[in-house]
Amino acid sequence: DAKTTQPPSMDCAEGRAANLPCNHSTISGNEYVYWYRQIHSQGPQYIIHGLKNNETNEMASLIITEDRKSSTLILPHATLRDTAVYYCIVRVASIPYSGGGADGLTFGKGTHLIIQP
Amino acid sequence: NAGVTQTPKFQVLKTGQSMTLQCAQDMNHNSMYWYRQDPGMGLRLIYYSASEGTTDKGEVPNGYNVSRLNKREFSLRLESAAPSQTSVYFCASSEGVKGRNEQYFGPGTRLTVT
């Protein structure tokens, strides 16, 4: 899987849009961009994923640049409950994943998003 | 629809004891996974099962065994617990089809080995 780079922490005011950047300059053509988050002491939660087009669901929007080397996760109206560590993960689309025999997700350090009241 | 459930939520073991962590999903997913998360660290894959009847090692399989009992259930066994296995264990599942392999996680089991 391609490596990703995220800022270690970010602040955002409650009610504003939170924009979380991710760089994945070595992404290859068959790799998707996935976003997960982990609220303290809970299991990770899937948010959204995309290949090259922008995607939106009930939780967030994902904007992927045309060259696919970076992306931004947008939480349109952040609430205090959105305080969490957000992980950007790039991984192949094929099943089963053939990289090193492991089909799991590789979680980096992520971005600790703190929503301020 | 409970998603992914794990039992127990908490467990304390003495070194050398054995136990089995249980995981079940009700989403009819093909693939299931076991991860561990040490304090301040990211998740590391222990074992996974791409489909019913198959299991494969992940990044940190030593000291663990798994059983894919049926499509719903995937258990993780510690045969002889060691303090280094003190961690939070997460089970996850996914559809396991191309482009639809986002993973859904359970609430975790917090294991302490003394």
Side-chain angles (χ1 to χ4, degrees):
Chain A
D1 294 336
K3 289 186 178 178
T4 62
T5 304
Q6 299 177 252
S9 64
M10 292 181 64
D11 288 348
C12 179
E14 189 177 16
R16 305 295 296 267
N19 296 275
L20 291 90
C22 179
N23 287 321
H24 32 78
S25 58
T26 60
I27 192 171
S28 58
N30 65 344
E31 289 180 315
Y32 284 68
V33 179
Y34 284 81
W35 283 84
Y36 287 79
R37 73 181 182 184
Q38 187 171 24
I39 297 170
H40 181 61
S41 298
Q42 298 182 20
Q45 179 186 23
Y46 164 77
I47 301 173
I48 198 167
H49 76 284
L51 183 61
K52 54 185 178 181
N53 297 322
N54 297 338
E55 301 287 344
T56 296
N57 63 20
E58 64 278 4
M59 287 184 68
S61 294
L62 173 60
I63 308 298
I64 302 174
T65 58
E66 193 168 341
D67 62 8
R68 303 209 322 123
K69 293 183 186 297
S70 65
S71 61
T72 301
L73 177 74
I74 302 171
L75 307 179
H77 304 288
T79 70
L80 297 178
R81 287 177 293 183
D82 292 321
T83 291
V85 179
Y86 287 77
Y87 298 97
C88 169
I89 297 168
V90 174
R91 70 194 302 261
V92 297
S94 62
I95 296 296
Y97 173 49
S98 59
D103 193 35
L105 298 168
T106 301
F107 286 80
K109 294 190 182 300
T111 296
H112 187 194
L113 175 67
I114 300 171
I115 305 301
Q116 305 281 1
Chain B
N1 188 336
V4 178
T5 56
Q6 293 183 236
T7 57
K9 288 187 168 52
F10 301 92
Q11 183 71 50
V12 178
L13 291 178
K14 293 191 169 137
T15 297
Q17 288 185 318
S18 62
M19 79 161 295
T20 299
L21 281 65
Q22 305 287 353
C23 174
Q25 53 91 9
D26 61 4
M27 297 175 281
N28 200 35
H29 283 173
N30 292 310
S31 301
M32 297 185 74
Y33 312 81
W34 276 107
Y35 294 86
R36 61 176 287 175
Q37 185 173 34
D38 299 329
M41 304 286 288
L43 277 71
R44 291 184 292 170
L45 183 68
I46 306 171
Y47 270 94
Y48 72 104
S49 170
S51 61
E52 187 178 358
T54 69
T55 61
D56 284 284
K57 294 178 181 179
E59 181 186 353
V60 289
N62 291 344
Y64 306 95
N65 286 302
V66 291
S67 295
R68 184 73 183 267
L69 304 169
N70 47 56
K71 192 171 185 180
R72 289 188 63 247
E73 298 171 290
F74 189 38
S75 63
L76 178 73
R77 182 160 179 83
L78 287 71
E79 290 292 351
S80 179
S84 60
Q85 293 178 305
T86 293
S87 190
V88 182
Y89 291 84
F90 291 104
C91 176
S93 70
S94 69
E95 287 190 47
V97 298
K98 183 174 180 178
R100 292 292 307 174
N101 57 345
E102 63 267 27
Q103 296 185 15
Y104 295 87
F105 288 79
T109 293
R110 282 148 185 80
L111 175 67
T112 301
V113 183
T114 61

